[in-house]
Amino acid sequence: MTEPLDLSDIPSPLRLRLDGDALVHNWRTLNDMSGRAVAGAAVKANGYGLGAREVVARLSAAGCRNFFVAHWREAAEIADLVPPASISVLNGVLPEEVSAARRIGAKPVINSMDQLATWQASGGGRCDLMFDSGMNRLGIEDHRAGAVAAMSLDVDTVMSHLASADEDVPQNAHQLARFQAVASHFPNARKSLANSAGIALGTDYHFDLTRPGLSLYGGIQRKQLEERIRQVAYPEARVLQIRDLQPGDKVGYNATFTADRPMTVAITAIGYADGYTRALSNHGYFTVGESQAQVIGFVSMDLCILALEDGVRTTPVWVCPRFNLPLSAAASGRSQYELLTSLGYRYDRVWLSKAHKTSESLKSLTIR
Ligand SMILES: *Cc1c(COP(=O)(O)O)cnc(C)c1O
């Protein structure tokens, strides 16, 4: 009998290089930009796809004391890394979740009168409150703020959420005014309104606690964040094969690309199952050593075909799809949030304190 293989013993043809210094830099930047408020961290959806445990460990060491997840399972996944009471569960608590919620010890963000009743019936205790201020997603109706404040609740933080903080629209000021009215009913609780883009809206939006997510991970939706926020995630895919094409040769599913000249192409192990969206078919770019290579043909589930620059006869073993979030979002028509959260589970997530090329990526493949 041989030892069972651990997943980490099996090399992956895909890796996500993660710059832990950039992550911490981004949190510190957002914390500074939050003025007198402190910045927490939204780490839902597995830390926006990068790995919640690694993110939480790094940000906690940097001084972050408030973490936001959406589900109770997500809270349980990080509850041994930070005090459970520092975790808020944004989707609140359903009747079937109460018993797990009590064992985990994180705070539900109560979003409705139903959730409030559920929480109180199960014994109550420390919670956060989310009020709607005009987004009409989750949240207690703001006209109930006075009545809720009159109940004897153990409220840590009173929140609302901005719908359009990434745009210059009157909705931001309208939501701010509605939230200020809600907040006035809760003099003893912390107040929190701003997500990443909301931090850049200025002091009025900061209150006591901000809740950045996207910009921790390199996303930029407002000018004020450009040049201050650093890229954190760098996908890399292994080159599996190199082949020569003759004029007239067709490429990929449904033959959406035909070579018009002799070409050299590289087949690489990343596909739409890895978040490399099919929208980048015949469209996306990879960095291949010192040069750029365009995707040709349809992106498939596990593979992508790259046209090497004319005359290029070798490629590195690893190639890098462009992953500058604002630019990649514009190129793909997907949001920066989707680009991060659809990366998927097949990557080897490699945290480097200083992002650098490994010696292995400097090795080259040469065409026979
Ligand atoms: C996801 C989320 C955040 C973080 O928003 P970003 O735009 O990623 O900074 C903050 N608050 C709530 C309620 C959220 O759902």
Side-chain angles (χ1 to χ4, degrees):
M1 279 280 281
T2 49
E3 290 275 308
L5 267 177
D6 190 85
L7 268 194
S8 60
D9 296 330
I10 308 172
S12 174
L14 268 180
R15 64 189 180 205
L16 194 57
R17 280 194 300 124
L18 293 155
D19 183 344
D21 293 346
L23 174 77
V24 167
H25 162 90
N26 290 344
W27 179 76
R28 290 207 171 110
T29 298
L30 294 158
N31 192 45
D32 289 348
M33 289 179 73
S34 297
R36 277 181 302 143
V38 295
V43 299
K44 58 200 185 185
N46 194 28
Y48 286 45
L50 305 192
R53 290 182 63 81
E54 295 282 354
V55 167
V56 167
R58 282 171 173 76
L59 295 185
S60 163
C64 181
R65 295 290 173 263
N66 299 270
F67 296 92
F68 299 91
V69 296
H71 293 198
W72 288 98
R73 287 188 181 191
E74 295 177 331
E77 271 164 19
I78 57 169
D80 62 322
L81 298 176
V82 291
S86 68
I87 305 168
S88 296
V89 180
L90 291 165
N91 282 6
V93 65
L94 297 169
E96 63 269 31
E97 294 171 331
V98 161
S99 120
R102 299 219 158 266
R103 287 179 60 187
I104 295 164
K107 290 172 295 176
V109 178
I110 304 287
N111 287 295
S112 66
M113 298 308 282
D114 278 352
Q115 287 193 357
L116 193 51
T118 300
W119 186 240
Q120 291 298 84
S122 76
R126 192 135 258 236
C127 62
D128 296 332
L129 298 177
M130 174 69 76
F131 282 92
D132 179 61
S133 58
M135 185 179 190
N136 287 301
R137 197 175 64 169
L138 285 177
I140 301 170
E141 296 91 334
D142 54 347
H143 68 79
R144 297 188 194 275
V148 173
M151 300 166 68
S152 52
L153 300 170
D154 183 3
V155 180
D156 180 341
T157 305
V158 174
M159 302 180 201
S160 190
H161 191 52
L162 296 166
S164 309
D166 56 332
E167 295 180 280
D168 290 309
V169 291
Q171 188 181 19
N172 292 324
H174 294 161
Q175 287 198 267
L176 174 61
R178 285 174 70 172
F179 183 60
Q180 281 164 335
V182 168
S184 67
H185 292 284
F186 297 89
N188 300 321
R190 298 192 298 172
K191 319 293 187 308
S192 174
L193 179 62
N195 62 344
S196 302
I199 292 171
L201 290 177
T203 313
D204 286 352
Y205 290 81
H206 295 161
F207 295 90
D208 303 305
L209 170 66
T210 58
R211 308 189 304 268
L214 184 71
S215 292
L216 296 173
Y217 311 110
I220 298 171
Q221 294 190 302
R222 282 203 156 265
K223 237 191 156 32
Q224 300 89 325
L225 296 166
E226 279 170 21
E227 319 218 325
R228 305 193 65 172
I229 293 298
R230 284 164 48 184
Q231 183 170 346
V232 175
Y234 298 83
E236 296 183 339
R238 185 74 163 77
V239 173
L240 304 176
Q241 186 177 357
I242 293 172
R243 61 195 309 138
D244 286 318
L245 303 185
Q246 300 308 318
D249 282 350
K250 295 175 179 17
V251 170
Y253 281 122
N254 307 108
T256 62
F257 181 91
T258 304
D260 62 357
R261 60 183 190 281
M263 298 176 76
T264 306
V265 301
I267 320 302
T268 180
I270 185 171
Y272 56 75
D274 310 302
Y276 198 78
T277 171
R278 205 157 170 277
L280 290 170
S281 301
N282 285 308
H283 209 76
Y285 278 90
F286 279 59
T287 301
V288 175
E290 301 293 295
S291 64
Q292 303 296 309
Q294 190 175 351
V295 174
I296 56 172
F298 272 147
V299 173
S300 1
M301 187 183 293
D302 322 297
L303 296 167
C304 195
I305 303 168
L306 308 179
L308 302 183
E309 276 179 9
D310 290 345
V312 172
R313 306 287 299 166
T314 64
T315 84
V317 169
W318 294 87
V319 295
C320 313
R322 287 187 189 169
F323 204 66
N324 170 304
L325 288 170
L327 295 181
S328 298
S332 65
R334 299 176 101 199
S335 76
Q336 298 178 49
Y337 299 86
E338 286 176 277
L339 292 176
L340 285 168
T341 57
S342 58
L343 284 166
Y345 66 94
R346 295 203 290 198
Y347 293 84
D348 209 353
R349 285 167 168 75
V350 186
W351 285 87
L352 302 166
S353 157
K354 293 261 179 291
H356 59 79
K357 285 208 160 71
T358 64
S359 56
E360 203 187 354
S361 23
L362 299 174
K363 282 192 213 151
S364 291
L365 288 181
T366 308
I367 302 137
R368 294 186 319 112

